[in-house]
Amino acid sequence: MSSTLLCGRFELSLERPLIMGIINVTPDSFSDGALHLDADAAIAHGLRLIDEGADLLDIGAESTRPGAAPVALDDELQRLLPVIEALRDSGVPLSIDTFKPSVMRHVLDAGADMINDIYAFRQPGALDAVAQSRCGLCVMHMQGEPRTMQQAPRYEDVVQEVRGFLLARVGAMREKGIQPERILLDPGFGFGKTPAQNYLLLRQLAQLQFETYPWLVALSRKSMIGHITGRPASERLGGSIAGALAGIARGAKMVRVHDVAATVDAIKVWQTVEHGVSE
């Protein structure tokens, strides 16, 4: 696999698993809605995640939980831009979780380093918005759209369908001249999938992989964890760490998490088991 990910102002080494810390600047995210809606709270949270060991931050201003209501473009930008401005010199890349091409252009102008798009850059104008940038691109699989995606997800072969979808999206991006080193892939846990389908994708993550593209695992606090543990979102740390390590063991190069410090510790121990203690 590629050993680096081009990410705006940064080149990220993929020699060890990277941790993407989550900042939700929203009133209705499934696990921490409204906690960081205020810009100052979001900024403080971002700085705390960096102190805990986050390699990059993922900032979102529109909830993508099942049934989530859309957010107007101006409202999304009003939530995002002050946080980007305050954190862009924090020393880590800033990823922005958005699918709106206009938002992509604005946040890249403001200093963002990555666009994380649940629609895999399928919205009209999305590829054009990012093609000439140096930003990283996180390309996610989703069946349907957030308001309805969990009503009745169906696949003939979820692993091959997710792989085929992402392979096609990579092809479309390459046709636009986008460098492969800018692309990060996400199977989209919880986005139009049943718990059984989510766990099959995680178990067979290695079978999803193709060429040199690195994979992101994003399952922190999600309902797939609650389905197994029976715990609410606020009590899913143990399950989330187990899922992250399962993904890393199957080749994931990045994990997107709410609980950075605990995940850092877990990965350090896992790496030591795998590779030994440095003398």
Side-chain angles (χ1 to χ4, degrees):
M1 290 190 176
S2 176
S3 61
T4 60
L5 177 68
L6 299 183
C7 192
R9 301 163 293 163
F10 299 82
E11 289 190 20
L12 299 178
S13 171
L14 300 174
E15 294 302 316
R16 64 168 178 82
L18 300 181
I19 295 178
M20 174 187 278
I22 299 169
I23 306 175
N24 287 316
V25 196
T26 60
D28 58 347
S29 289
F30 77 95
S31 72
D32 56 0
L35 286 180
H36 310 121
L37 180 58
D38 175 75
D40 289 340
I43 294 160
H45 184 60
L47 294 172
R48 182 164 56 252
L49 294 181
I50 294 169
D51 286 343
E52 291 178 358
D55 297 293
L56 66 166
L57 300 176
D58 190 50
I59 308 165
E62 179 170 4
S63 175
T64 52
R65 63 178 173 79
V71 172
L73 184 148
D74 287 345
D75 291 341
E76 188 174 354
L77 286 172
Q78 286 175 9
R79 295 174 185 176
L80 288 171
L81 293 177
V83 181
I84 295 170
E85 181 177 355
L87 294 175
R88 64 188 172 197
D89 295 323
S90 60
V92 303
L94 303 182
S95 168
I96 306 302
D97 188 345
T98 188
F99 59 84
K100 299 184 180 76
S102 182
V103 172
M104 295 177 190
R105 294 183 188 276
H106 279 88
V107 299
L108 290 173
D109 288 343
D113 301 289
M114 174 180 279
I115 302 295
N116 181 7
D117 183 1
I118 64 168
Y119 281 92
F121 301 90
R122 286 178 289 155
Q123 297 293 318
L127 284 178
D128 289 331
V130 299
Q132 300 307 312
S133 169
R134 184 183 155 86
C135 69
L137 304 170
C138 187
V139 187
M140 196 194 82
H141 175 274
M142 173 174 60
Q143 187 179 91
E145 51 90 19
R147 283 175 293 179
T148 61
M149 62 188 179
Q150 289 303 105
Q151 290 179 3
R154 296 187 64 182
Y155 300 85
E156 293 296 323
D157 184 331
V158 66
V159 174
Q160 289 307 312
E161 288 175 49
V162 169
R163 186 179 186 276
F165 170 86
L166 291 170
L167 188 59
R169 293 311 301 151
V170 166
M173 300 175 92
R174 296 301 306 277
E175 288 179 4
K176 286 284 187 179
I178 292 170
Q179 297 162 274
E181 294 82 8
R182 292 173 56 193
I183 298 173
L184 176 70
L185 302 178
D186 179 353
F189 296 113
F191 284 82
K193 288 129 185 136
T194 65
Q197 290 161 353
N198 285 318
Y199 281 101
L200 179 61
L201 282 170
L202 182 57
R203 185 164 64 250
Q204 296 191 12
L205 186 66
Q207 282 68 55
L208 285 173
Q209 296 172 0
F210 55 88
E211 297 183 41
T212 62
Y213 297 98
W215 287 78
L216 167 76
V217 165
L219 45 71
S220 178
R221 301 185 187 175
K222 286 185 175 178
S223 60
M224 64 182 284
I225 305 297
H227 183 80
I228 300 301
T229 65
R231 297 187 180 277
S234 61
E235 298 176 12
R236 294 175 184 166
L237 173 60
S240 298
I241 288 175
L245 292 179
I248 291 169
R250 289 160 175 78
K253 296 298 184 181
M254 188 181 298
V255 291
R256 180 180 182 271
V257 303
H258 297 84
D259 303 288
V260 168
T263 308
V264 167
D265 288 350
I267 291 175
K268 285 179 178 177
V269 172
W270 181 86
Q271 283 189 294
T272 302
V273 171
E274 294 298 307
H275 306 295
V277 178
S278 299
E279 298 298 336

